[in-house]
Amino acid sequence: MTDIDLDEHSIVIHDAEGFAGMRAAGRLAAEVLDMLVPHVRPGVTTQAIDDLVRAHVQAAGAVPATIFYRGYSHSVCTSINHVICHGIPGPKPLQDGDIVNIDVTVVLNGWHGDTSRMYLVGEPPLKARRLVDLTYEALMLGIEAAKPGNTVGDIGAAIQRHAERNRLSVVRDFCGHGLGRRFHMAPNILHAGRAGDGPELRPGMFFTIEPMLNLGKAAARILDDGWTAVTRDRSLSAQFEHSIGITETGCEIFTLSPAGLHHPPYAG
Ligand code: MF3
Ligand code: CO
Ligand code: CO
């Protein structure tokens, strides 16, 4: 046996060229989510959203990373209400009171920008809006913990603490991931865990943080389509995702909204 952490040693350390590539890809992904804001309203189908995304991404000279990904054939994931993640766009119209996560990954000049936000459809109930607000806060607390000297476990611990203090559960079945020239690579970023556990964070590491928080229990189940993950107890679930790069002093968020539309409500 060895005490060498193989995962730790397979984490790519990127240079300035990588940061430049990720900055451009991340910005495009965030612009796509900005562009969608006025379109996400009652009566709009998730397939219509998918079509808008594909057109926008292709017009920018990029490709949606999900289109040929392991048999997935859409440009975004649209995860409504009790859907945790990987909801497949389709002909069903959004309804007043829904909360929906839209997750887009673009490949621009070989670099991956992966980000998601929640959108409020019409006027969701207070408990749904509270879940959305707390999930955004959890992501940002995870990002604050993403700095040199800390470990991957510090990120999960910060997210878990905020969720559980507010009586929310953290989904364990899916995690954040390294990315760059590939869509998914080392390290895995767990959204719950113990401070100090896991690989140490170093400048040049690129990864996503994408916590999924539930109003009810954490347990997930995959529908027969092979993709859609739902809460077993059908409680509401929310998620936000950023792609980041560790710097000398902290981290750079590659997928910040250029329009300042970080979380809902997006219109006053
Ligand atoms: N964008 C998702 C992520 O955050 C992955 C979606 S894979 C798909 O990692 F095939 F479901 F689209
Ligand atoms: Co991701
Ligand atoms: Co994503």
Side-chain angles (χ1 to χ4, degrees):
M1 275 304 289
T2 164
D3 60 0
I4 293 174
D5 182 341
L6 289 174
D7 185 55
E8 183 157 7
H9 290 272
S10 59
I11 302 173
V12 176
I13 300 295
H14 297 87
D15 59 11
E17 185 197 338
F19 274 86
M22 289 298 284
R23 215 167 274 143
R27 181 183 175 91
L28 174 60
E31 282 169 354
V32 169
L33 295 185
D34 288 350
M35 174 276 292
L36 289 175
V37 164
H39 297 281
V40 183
R41 47 188 161 71
V44 173
T45 69
T46 47
Q47 182 60 57
I49 291 169
D50 194 82
D51 293 343
L52 283 167
V53 170
R54 182 161 55 248
H56 190 107
V57 170
Q58 289 177 346
V63 188
T66 50
I67 271 192
F68 299 113
Y69 185 73
R70 300 183 181 205
Y72 196 84
S73 55
H74 287 77
S75 298
V76 284
C77 297
T78 50
S79 301
I80 304 169
N81 295 335
H82 71 295
V83 178
I84 296 170
C85 64
H86 301 166
I88 303 173
K92 199 169 153 268
L94 294 169
Q95 290 181 39
D96 186 13
D98 285 346
I99 57 170
V100 57
N101 174 277
I102 303 180
D103 188 341
V104 58
T105 309
V106 306
V107 194
L108 179 64
N109 298 323
W111 295 96
H112 290 75
D114 185 7
T115 184
S116 81
R117 289 179 217 156
M118 298 301 296
Y119 297 74
L120 308 179
V121 182
E123 290 190 32
L126 180 62
K127 64 170 190 186
R129 286 181 279 138
R130 174 178 173 273
L131 171 67
V132 168
D133 290 347
L134 288 165
T135 305
Y136 178 76
E137 290 169 15
L139 168 62
M140 298 316 286
L141 289 166
I143 289 175
E144 275 176 38
K147 56 184 179 193
N150 272 3
T151 71
V152 165
D154 289 297
I155 297 171
I159 291 166
Q160 183 180 5
R161 186 183 316 120
H162 194 61
E164 293 180 355
R165 270 185 185 171
N166 290 286
R167 301 182 313 282
L168 302 175
S169 61
V170 180
V171 173
R172 306 300 208 275
D173 305 58
F174 303 92
C175 46
H177 50 91
L179 82 173
R181 291 200 176 274
R182 302 219 323 262
F183 191 175
H184 293 108
M185 51 201 283
N188 281 333
I189 306 295
L190 277 63
H191 302 114
R194 279 189 358 209
D197 278 3
E200 189 175 325
L201 301 175
R202 298 180 197 283
M205 290 182 175
F206 295 167
F207 53 83
T208 72
I209 308 179
E210 47 183 300
M212 288 141 276
L213 268 48
N214 301 345
L215 274 186
K217 296 206 167 83
R221 156 174 100 78
I222 310 288
L223 299 187
D224 289 338
D225 61 26
W227 284 104
T228 311
V230 299
T231 56
R232 277 192 180 269
D233 63 8
R234 298 189 65 87
S235 66
L236 291 178
S237 187
Q239 178 179 31
F240 285 83
E241 174 177 24
H242 273 312
S243 298
I244 70 170
I246 302 295
T247 63
E248 296 295 332
T249 53
C251 70
E252 176 175 345
I253 304 175
F254 297 128
T255 47
L256 269 187
S257 164
L261 303 170
H262 305 299
H263 59 82
Y266 296 117

